[in-house]
């Protein structure tokens, strides 16, 4: 199997795997200040200096480029992809957790004097030094600040829309977009790579004319065990080469939006493309989910307090939430990031609450941990968005509890905009605890049971 040996080798679990889901999927706000440096060179100028395979820059030249690919998901290793208006190039750095200082969307100013531009296996790259045997090293972390000057962050680079046949060296290390593509039948509904054995994998994406290109995924990527979608749509990726082979590297599964009708006229539906995409498959009648359907998200329900059935779990990602009912008691704690294979399971609403059932307990695998930031809402907001927000975590301020008593059973909440029912199982560890007689802020999960129902996980959800 081909691989970009020095670019996409992988390393032990990144700190970013346990970062919160919101941070992972939401674009950071723009901010920061650019350094007071004058740009007098471009990436294409730098590439033009390379007439062989190695060139050392001995002039005072400065380029400015935006990071379009970082190492946060683990699918890039000791390297980041940077791009300016003239082209893209890989910047090799001898360090890890590069996304902390050099995340996607940050502008970098790079002093090139003393650095090398090389062409390894056909791919352009900036490195610190070249050894007599042709190997090279990235810029050491101890001297980052001598060469790299970070600027503004939260910037956006519009991907270049191309076809598979149009991809050539001019797009190297740039963020590109392929439309109307899908994974080949043999690679659809399959894991991107093997996260258990940390084995990398090449899958192939194609257009409806049969033109194809490799999508390479590291075994250390935090989405390695996620399943590829079966549908057709849009793919974002960093374009690269390995010798004569063209390759794509997706940064994480948010780059993969393949949910439409595929080239054979079949609805995709499968693959790990977000909870909202799975929910959308329900149009009024029970649905058997296609083979290859999976979701990855963070558990927002708390099994330990007994306020949810021991076979049930509420899972949320950046697109939405859903109730999953396993065939046996599970042990996934609140905050666990899990991937669940839903192939062949039924999707339908029980008393109005959309659930997937019966999911074999062996079809779920924990891949890390994470947090979900609750959406700040009113009860009136919830009523207006009940279907879209169902099975997600929200925070409601200024809530008054009707009367006085304990949490057990149904209690009416009112925040001044509308009323809602807060339900607590009599088996919950806090069922006999008295609820506040003054107003409070309530964090809860939106459910349905013949209408709107809210549920807290424990008493710390009420402040």
């Amino acid at each position: 199997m081909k691989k970009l040996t020095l670019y996409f080798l992988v390393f032990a679990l990144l700190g970013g795997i346990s970062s919160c889901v919101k941070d992972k999927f939401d674009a950071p706000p723009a901010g920061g200040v650019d350094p007071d440096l004058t740009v007098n060179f471009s990436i294409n100028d730098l590439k033009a200096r390379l007439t062989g395979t190695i060139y050392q820059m001995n002039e005072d030249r400065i380029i400015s480029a935006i990071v379009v690919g970082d190492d946060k998901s683990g699918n890039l290793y000791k390297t980041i992809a940077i791009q300016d208006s003239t082209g893209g190039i890989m910047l090799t750095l001898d360090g890890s957790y590069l996304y902390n200082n050099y995340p996607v969307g940050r502008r970098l100013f790079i002093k090139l004097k003393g650095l090398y531009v090389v062409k390894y296996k056909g791919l352009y790259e900036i490195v610190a030094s070249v050894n007599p045997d042709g190997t090279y090293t990235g810029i050491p972390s101890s001297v980052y600040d001598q060469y790299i000057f970070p600027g503004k962050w939260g910037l956006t680079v519009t991907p270049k829309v191309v076809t598979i046949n149009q991809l050539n060296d001019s797009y190297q290390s740039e963020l590109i977009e392929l439309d109307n593509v899908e994974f080949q039948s043999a690679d659809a509904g399959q894991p991107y790579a093997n996260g258990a054995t940390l084995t990398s994998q090449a899958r192939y994406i194609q257009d409806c004319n049969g033109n194809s290109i490799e999508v390479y995924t590291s075994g250390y990527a935090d989405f390695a065990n996620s399943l590829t979608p079966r549908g057709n749509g849009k793919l974002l990726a960093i374009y690269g080469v390995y010798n004569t082979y063209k390759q794509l590297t997706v940064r994480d599964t948010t780059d993969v939006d393949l949910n439409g009708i595929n080239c054979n006229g079949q609805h995709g539906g499968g693959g790990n493309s977000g909870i909202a995409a799975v929910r959308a498959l329900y149009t009024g009648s029970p649905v058997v989910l296609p083979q290859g359907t999976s979701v990855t998200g963070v558990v927002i329900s708390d099994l330990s307090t007994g306020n949810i059935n021991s076979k049930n779990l509420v899972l949320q990602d950046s697109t939405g939430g859903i109730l999953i009912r396993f065939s046996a008691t599970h042990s996934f704690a609140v905050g666990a990031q899990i991937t669940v294979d839903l192939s062949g399971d039924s999707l339908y609403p029980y008393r109005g609450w959309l659930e997937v059932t019966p999911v074999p307990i062996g079809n779920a695998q924990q891949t890390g941990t994470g947090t979900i930031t609750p959406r700040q809402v009113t009860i009136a907001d919830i009523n207006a968005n009940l279907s879209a927000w169902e099975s997600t975590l929200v925070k409601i301020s200024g809530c008054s509890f009707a009367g006085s008593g304990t949490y057990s059973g149904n209690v009416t909440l009112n925040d001044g905009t509308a009323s809602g029912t807060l339900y607590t199982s009599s088996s919950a560890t806090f069922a006999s605890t008295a609820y506040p007689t003054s107003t409070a802020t309530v964090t809860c999960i939106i459910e349905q049971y013949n209408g709107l129902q809210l549920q807290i996980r424990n008493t710390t959800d009420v402040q």
Side-chain angles (χ1 to χ4, degrees):
M1 188 62 63
K2 308 182 300 297
K3 56 184 177 181
L4 291 176
T5 307
L6 293 179
Y7 309 108
F8 304 118
L9 285 175
V10 291
F11 57 105
L13 294 174
L14 299 177
I17 291 176
S18 62
S19 62
C20 75
V21 167
K22 180 176 177 61
D23 285 346
K24 180 173 179 179
F25 293 104
D26 288 354
V33 177
D34 287 334
D36 185 19
L37 294 173
T38 300
V39 176
N40 57 12
F41 220 53
S42 71
I43 289 176
N44 269 4
D45 290 335
L46 181 60
K47 289 179 178 179
R49 293 293 181 92
L50 187 64
T51 57
T53 58
I54 301 170
Y55 178 82
Q56 184 176 25
M57 177 62 69
N58 292 312
E59 305 169 47
D60 290 316
R61 299 293 189 179
I62 298 174
I63 60 172
S64 172
I66 297 175
V67 178
V68 293
D70 62 29
D71 61 353
K72 188 170 187 178
S73 73
N75 209 22
L76 291 175
Y77 176 60
K78 291 190 175 183
T79 187
I80 57 177
I82 59 174
Q83 181 178 333
D84 67 10
S85 61
T86 70
I89 197 167
M90 304 304 291
L91 177 64
T92 295
L93 305 172
D94 190 15
S96 303
Y97 311 110
L98 303 175
Y99 66 89
N100 286 326
N101 291 319
Y102 314 131
V104 167
R106 187 157 204 183
R107 181 152 51 219
L108 305 181
F109 292 74
I110 302 170
K111 291 186 176 181
L112 298 172
K113 187 174 183 179
L115 298 179
Y116 290 80
V117 58
V118 300
K119 200 172 186 182
Y120 179 80
K121 302 293 185 180
L123 191 67
Y124 288 96
E125 185 168 1
I126 298 172
V127 302
S129 61
V130 179
N131 302 316
D133 63 358
T135 61
Y136 57 84
T137 58
I139 301 172
S141 58
S142 59
V143 295
Y144 284 175
D145 57 2
Q146 295 181 28
Y147 295 102
I148 307 170
F149 300 83
K152 293 182 178 180
W153 61 81
L155 304 176
T156 300
V157 172
T158 302
K160 293 186 176 180
V161 181
V162 295
T163 65
I164 292 174
N165 285 346
Q166 289 173 335
L167 287 169
N168 57 46
D169 278 355
S170 67
Y171 295 104
Q172 274 198 27
S173 303
E174 292 188 339
L175 182 65
I176 61 98
E177 174 183 327
L178 296 175
D179 294 330
N180 301 315
V181 294
E182 60 193 52
F183 282 95
Q184 290 183 350
S185 58
D187 289 323
Q190 300 298 316
Y192 282 89
N194 192 324
T197 62
L198 306 180
T199 304
S200 302
Q201 179 70 51
R203 301 291 181 190
Y204 286 84
I205 204 90
Q206 67 179 11
D207 60 25
C208 290
N209 294 319
N211 301 303
S212 64
I213 186 171
E214 179 182 297
V215 177
Y216 181 86
T217 304
S218 160
Y220 282 85
D222 61 9
F223 59 92
N225 292 326
S226 297
L227 303 185
T228 58
R230 293 181 177 274
N232 185 287
K234 177 176 71 175
L235 178 83
L236 303 184
I238 304 299
Y239 173 66
V241 297
Y242 184 76
N243 292 323
T244 60
Y245 301 104
K246 299 179 179 181
Q247 291 182 322
L248 300 177
T249 301
V250 296
R251 298 166 300 180
D252 57 47
T253 54
T254 62
D255 280 345
V256 185
D257 184 14
L258 306 178
N259 301 306
I261 304 298
N262 63 26
C263 298
N264 293 325
Q266 298 176 342
H267 194 289
N272 196 321
S273 53
I275 290 174
V278 173
R279 291 182 63 91
L281 296 178
Y282 177 77
T283 58
S285 301
V287 176
V288 176
L289 296 175
Q291 290 297 311
T293 302
S294 72
V295 291
T296 297
V298 174
V299 178
I300 60 172
S301 52
D302 189 351
L303 181 69
S304 68
T305 61
N307 202 26
I308 189 170
N309 187 288
S310 61
K311 294 182 181 180
N312 290 355
L313 173 152
V314 185
L315 193 68
Q316 183 174 346
D317 67 8
S318 65
T319 69
I322 199 161
L323 173 66
I324 293 175
R325 183 169 176 81
F326 291 107
S327 57
T329 297
H330 71 87
S331 59
F332 296 111
V334 61
Q337 177 180 288
I338 65 174
T339 295
V340 190
D341 181 359
L342 305 177
S343 302
D345 298 319
S346 297
L347 176 69
Y348 70 95
Y350 176 76
R351 299 295 181 103
W353 194 3
L354 193 63
E355 67 174 30
V356 183
T357 186
V359 180
I361 194 67
N363 283 16
Q365 178 181 11
Q366 183 166 350
T367 57
T369 58
T371 57
I372 294 290
T373 301
R375 180 189 284 113
Q376 184 77 47
V377 299
T378 66
I379 296 177
D381 292 334
I382 296 172
N383 285 327
N385 298 276
L386 184 54
S387 295
W389 292 356
E390 181 187 278
S391 298
T392 65
L393 197 62
V394 297
K395 180 180 289 186
I396 311 168
S397 299
C399 290
S400 298
F401 292 77
S404 61
T406 65
Y407 285 104
S408 184
N410 293 327
V411 179
T412 299
L413 285 183
N414 189 301
D415 69 345
T417 69
S419 296
T421 298
L422 180 72
Y423 172 75
T424 301
S425 169
S426 60
S427 300
T429 57
F430 56 90
S432 60
T433 302
Y435 53 73
T437 56
S438 58
T439 58
T441 296
V442 177
T443 299
C444 54
I445 299 171
I446 298 174
E447 305 171 353
Q448 290 199 65
Y449 189 84
N450 301 326
L452 171 62
Q453 180 173 280
L454 305 172
Q455 191 173 81
I456 59 173
R457 287 85 54 86
N458 49 60
T459 55
T460 63
D461 278 341
V462 180
Q463 299 291 330

